[in-house]
Amino acid sequence: MALPKLRSSLPSIRTPNFWFLLTIQEKSQLTENVLIVGSMALDDVKTPFGEIKDALGGAAVYSSIAASYFAPVRIVGVVGNDFPEEHVAFLSSRNVDLKGMQRAEGKTFHWAGYYDFDLNQAHTLETHLNVFQQFRPVIPQEYRSSKYVFLANIDPELQLQVLDQVDKPKLTVCDTMNFWIDTKKEALLEVLKRVDIAFLNDAEARQLCGTTSLVKAAYKLCEIGPKMVVIKKGEHGALMIANGTYFSAPSYPLEEVIDPTGAGDSFAGGFIGYVAGTDDISHDNLRKAVVFGSTIASFNVEDFSLRRLSTITRKEILDRYNEFRRIAFFE
Ligand code: AMP
């Protein structure tokens, strides 16, 4: 294949249109990998539009599938012996390398939650860490040089163990949730000191920083460590804030949201996947990455579990990305 030649014309790869003409196999020869660590789960979810039980979920799973639209993914996590083989087959069919996935005796991480009509607010009913309680991430040798690392939502102590095992990535991004702010705040603050970009939702940013202002919260977080903070506001879009820069992206005006589970994870996965796929951490490119993240998240919420995320086409992603440009256009 003539593919390697494309590397020398990398600037053209950075335009989204060209990028989407490549197949996943072509991309895997051209791009940087994303290393993703986080929960791999079986979820029970109830929304006003239905419910599912023991469905594929977990922060690392949502974010890996989202990132895989742009770059090859290496996942690190653990599943129990109840994790269905069809889920393993699905992940590996989507350009997700599973060498870093451990299988342990016991049950897979299990989360049960529900949403009322305010779909921005998840209500946790149960969190069973199960096999994650004994889990120690072991980063395979070939993963250690990954330039892009995403610490998806999981115990911040495990996130720190991952950071200890990787060799100077070009970009490290972390995500978390109120469960860890409540139970492991010190370790979480350590993680924040060591990453480049932190993702939080609005309620988590307010809770962690003890302020009602999201702008103040972002500046406070930047003082702790990360160079940049991305605050997810559900149906109200997302903010990317760094010292002296402020970017606000809308969310896609969906008329029907069926299940918001995994919106934050697919947003972050789409973001880091796009940055890795383009291997460009300039501020302008990070803005595009926020919009690609929002694009992928908007598909994810159209159905339960990973049903929609597993069927999107590249054309659909690009069309919706272009619609975002129209929605946000300003002279
Ligand atoms: P999101 O809706 O993007 O915040 O993430 C939903 C996913 O996070 C679900 O699939 C859950 O399995 C997973 N999850 C829920 N609670 C936790 C937790 N405490 N740690 C890690 N993952 C979690």
Side-chain angles (χ1 to χ4, degrees):
M1 269 192 291
L3 269 171
K5 279 196 197 139
L6 289 172
R7 248 208 180 291
S8 57
S9 58
L10 236 142
S12 59
I13 289 174
R14 290 183 181 144
T15 65
N17 285 303
F18 181 84
W19 182 248
F20 273 88
L21 296 176
L22 299 179
T23 64
I24 278 181
Q25 283 71 26
E26 286 165 340
K27 281 183 200 144
S28 63
Q29 294 179 40
L30 289 167
T31 68
E32 298 300 335
N33 292 275
V34 186
L35 170 62
I36 296 184
V37 59
S39 56
M40 302 183 74
L42 296 174
D43 292 339
D44 291 349
V45 179
K46 189 171 180 185
T47 81
F49 310 103
E51 72 181 296
I52 41 165
K53 289 204 176 295
D54 282 326
L56 178 61
V61 172
Y62 279 107
S63 51
S64 293
I65 296 299
S68 74
Y69 282 97
F70 306 97
V73 175
R74 297 156 160 180
I75 198 169
V76 171
V78 63
V79 297
N81 35 24
D82 55 348
F83 194 72
E85 270 315 305
E86 62 177 282
H87 297 338
V88 177
F90 165 63
L91 285 162
S92 41
S93 74
R94 303 310 292 258
N95 211 19
V96 178
D97 188 304
L98 296 171
K99 268 186 239 62
M101 185 190 88
Q102 297 175 27
R103 292 167 192 262
E105 263 317 299
K107 284 187 162 184
T108 300
F109 178 96
H110 182 79
W111 178 75
Y114 72 94
Y115 302 81
D116 285 326
F117 278 92
D118 177 2
L119 294 168
N120 280 339
Q121 178 67 49
H123 303 276
T124 294
L125 293 169
E126 292 168 26
T127 302
H128 297 288
L129 295 177
N130 296 334
V131 288
F132 264 101
Q133 243 159 344
Q134 313 298 332
F135 174 65
R136 293 287 161 269
V138 179
I139 311 298
Q141 198 56 43
E142 70 208 82
Y143 287 13
R144 293 180 183 215
S145 56
S146 304
K147 279 207 223 166
Y148 293 90
V149 175
F150 177 46
L151 307 171
N153 183 20
I154 196 57
D155 185 338
E157 285 173 12
L158 298 178
Q159 295 179 321
L160 288 170
Q161 290 173 21
V162 172
L163 289 177
D164 288 340
Q165 294 176 62
V166 291
D167 313 322
K168 293 198 176 62
K170 187 165 172 180
L171 189 76
T172 48
V173 176
C174 77
D175 193 8
T176 192
M177 74 180 288
N178 53 0
F179 184 86
W180 303 112
I181 300 175
D182 292 336
T183 59
K184 296 273 176 93
K185 190 168 171 182
E186 285 312 308
L188 178 59
L189 292 175
E190 272 311 301
V191 174
L192 290 172
K193 280 186 196 150
R194 292 178 58 183
V195 295
D196 298 307
I197 305 182
F199 276 64
L200 288 100
N201 73 27
D202 41 5
E204 291 153 4
R206 290 188 176 105
Q207 180 189 355
L208 188 58
C209 299
T211 171
T212 53
S213 157
L214 292 179
V215 178
K216 261 195 198 158
Y219 286 147
K220 215 165 164 183
L221 287 162
C222 287
E223 273 170 27
I224 297 171
K227 296 181 191 73
M228 214 172 254
V229 177
V230 175
I231 298 181
K232 302 162 284 180
K233 299 188 297 164
E235 65 178 319
H236 306 297
L239 302 174
M240 182 166 69
I241 301 180
N243 215 346
T245 64
Y246 182 93
F247 175 60
S248 172
S251 71
Y252 187 75
L254 281 178
E255 285 188 30
E256 221 173 36
V257 173
I258 300 297
D259 173 16
T261 311
D265 309 315
S266 49
F267 175 91
F271 173 93
I272 194 149
Y274 181 74
V275 180
T278 49
D279 194 17
D280 176 358
I281 56 170
S282 67
H283 192 258
D284 282 353
N285 202 51
L286 295 184
R287 285 180 173 225
K288 285 186 202 163
V290 167
V291 178
F292 272 112
S294 304
T295 304
I296 302 281
S298 73
F299 284 111
N300 178 61
V301 302
E302 289 178 347
D303 207 341
F304 281 97
S305 184
L306 282 101
R307 285 180 197 157
R308 186 66 180 106
L309 213 52
S310 58
T311 60
I312 337 169
T313 64
R314 287 179 289 160
K315 183 176 180 318
E316 283 177 311
I317 295 173
L318 193 56
D319 285 351
R320 199 169 276 189
Y321 174 85
N322 284 327
E323 258 187 84
F324 263 100
R325 295 170 71 181
R326 278 191 289 278
I327 291 167
F329 176 76
F330 218 86
E331 286 197 312

